[in-house]
Amino acid sequence: MSNLTQRVIFGAIGAVLLLGSVWYSAWTFALFFGVVQMRMLWEFYRMMREVGYKPAALLGGGLSLVFFLGAAYLCAMPNYLGDIFGGGAALSSLNPGFITREKSLLLKLGFSLVVLLPVILILREMAAWPREKQDFSPFSNVGVALLGLLYVSLPMSLLNVLAFTPQGYDYRRIFALLLLVWSSDIGAYAAGKTFGKHKLAPKISPGKTWEGAIGGFLLTLGMGWALGYLLPELSLTYRLVVAGVVAVFGPLGDLAESMLKRSVDVKDSGRIMPGHGGLLDRFDAFLFILPVLALLQLLLG
């Protein structure tokens, strides 16, 4: 098949799986994105292995899935988001003792894993020392393993903060985020192809232009306005602020991953989607967008 045919077929399959998982239920959403972010982390570790690092990929991937599903479970508890973001006092009356004990246990387990993770990774290096064909410090492997969790898994886990409200799971918010990200990509591509002359970051991504960035920004703002039909309870100001965050930080996330790929001399992060590269290529914008949106949610509710 031609590259265009592959992109269309596998893009359609991926879109159906993505949108179907988000729409069907909270747990299909959590399982889908839990597996997606675990694969993204594996692709990051694979690229690091290309330049000689040997991160604990199996341990990191397993922990990333535990963290994502744990975050989804905590955010699904009515009084959890109320405690953090406000507005959940009435909902806390729903069997508060049971919810509090479960929440407390999960938070303690998660905290324990985070605290012990560096120790576990260092013990792994001690058991494997000395490694053949690796000239640099074994602590570099520990650093790369932790960096992957911070760069990929932590931001993706914040997707749960956006998906769950004190009233429960709201698939519309994830649909809205996807529409904004796609608008940014489409607007940048169309404007860049039509008007692009001035390079945005030629040493990192020669194909990106300032004209494309402006086109992506404007189309994303337009989508932010149109999302009033999907999320009428959100004010126009809030939707435009979110659209602005996506339009600015999405391309920055894409540039960061392009810099990563150039630093290890690979074209795509993976080959799971023929014609599209890896999942890290598809969701790289999320890694910069989600921390900012989660902070926005924390500050504005």
Side-chain angles (χ1 to χ4, degrees):
M1 290 187 293
S2 68
N3 186 60
L4 177 60
T5 303
Q6 286 184 341
R7 288 181 65 86
V8 171
I9 292 175
F10 287 96
I13 294 172
V16 169
L17 287 174
L18 169 61
L19 297 176
S21 299
V22 171
W23 169 80
Y24 188 74
S25 74
W27 293 110
T28 54
F29 153 80
L31 287 173
F32 178 84
F33 275 104
V35 173
V36 163
Q37 62 84 31
M38 184 170 63
R39 171 70 189 196
M40 291 168 64
L41 181 62
W42 185 89
E43 292 175 356
F44 173 81
Y45 287 151
R46 185 190 68 84
M47 287 191 284
M48 292 297 99
R49 288 197 296 271
E50 292 290 328
V51 290
Y53 295 105
K54 300 182 186 298
L58 290 177
L59 176 61
L63 286 175
S64 73
L65 184 60
V66 170
F67 289 151
F68 188 94
L69 295 180
Y73 191 62
L74 285 172
C75 289
M77 294 180 177
N79 70 330
Y80 178 70
L81 287 177
D83 291 343
I84 295 180
F85 302 118
L91 294 168
S92 297
S93 62
L94 301 174
N95 201 359
F98 175 75
I99 292 176
T100 301
R101 285 195 301 272
E102 271 197 346
K103 179 177 69 174
S104 176
L105 178 60
L106 285 173
L107 288 174
K108 288 176 181 177
L109 288 174
F111 181 75
S112 300
L113 285 173
V114 171
V115 169
L116 292 176
L117 182 56
V119 176
I120 296 170
L121 292 173
I122 293 172
L123 288 175
R124 171 183 178 267
E125 294 302 315
M126 291 171 63
W129 177 260
R131 289 184 181 273
E132 296 182 1
K133 300 179 181 180
Q134 182 171 321
D135 299 328
F136 43 79
S137 167
F139 281 83
S140 300
N141 295 327
V142 176
V144 168
L146 292 174
L147 175 61
L149 291 169
L150 290 174
Y151 171 55
V152 176
S153 298
L154 177 60
M156 291 301 292
S157 294
L158 294 174
L159 190 61
N160 292 293
V161 175
L162 304 182
F164 293 93
T165 71
Q167 288 73 40
Y169 173 67
D170 190 347
Y171 72 90
R172 299 175 304 157
R173 290 172 173 251
I174 306 302
F175 276 12
L177 176 61
L178 292 170
L179 290 171
L180 289 172
V181 172
W182 292 340
S183 296
S184 177
D185 289 342
I186 294 170
Y189 179 81
K193 282 290 186 181
T194 306
F195 308 107
K197 293 181 179 179
H198 301 88
K199 300 298 183 182
L200 178 62
K203 294 183 179 180
I204 297 177
S205 184
K208 293 187 182 301
T209 63
W210 281 104
E211 291 82 0
I214 294 171
F217 188 88
L218 293 176
L219 186 59
T220 308
L221 288 184
M223 179 57 69
W225 172 84
L227 287 176
Y229 294 99
L230 180 65
L231 293 164
E233 68 273 18
L234 297 182
S235 68
L236 176 61
T237 300
Y238 188 87
R239 298 197 311 271
L240 292 180
V241 169
V242 171
V245 168
V246 171
V248 171
F249 287 92
L252 290 176
D254 184 60
L255 283 174
E257 202 237 349
S258 295
M259 182 175 67
L260 170 63
K261 290 189 293 186
R262 286 188 175 275
S263 69
V264 298
D265 195 26
V266 300
K267 183 178 184 295
D268 296 315
S269 66
R271 301 177 182 85
I272 193 171
M273 294 179 65
H276 291 268
L279 292 182
L280 190 57
D281 296 322
R282 296 300 92 204
F283 291 96
D284 52 6
F286 281 53
L287 303 183
F288 274 43
I289 291 171
L290 291 173
V292 180
L293 289 184
L295 182 60
L296 188 66
Q297 177 82 359
L298 177 64
L299 295 176
L300 301 180

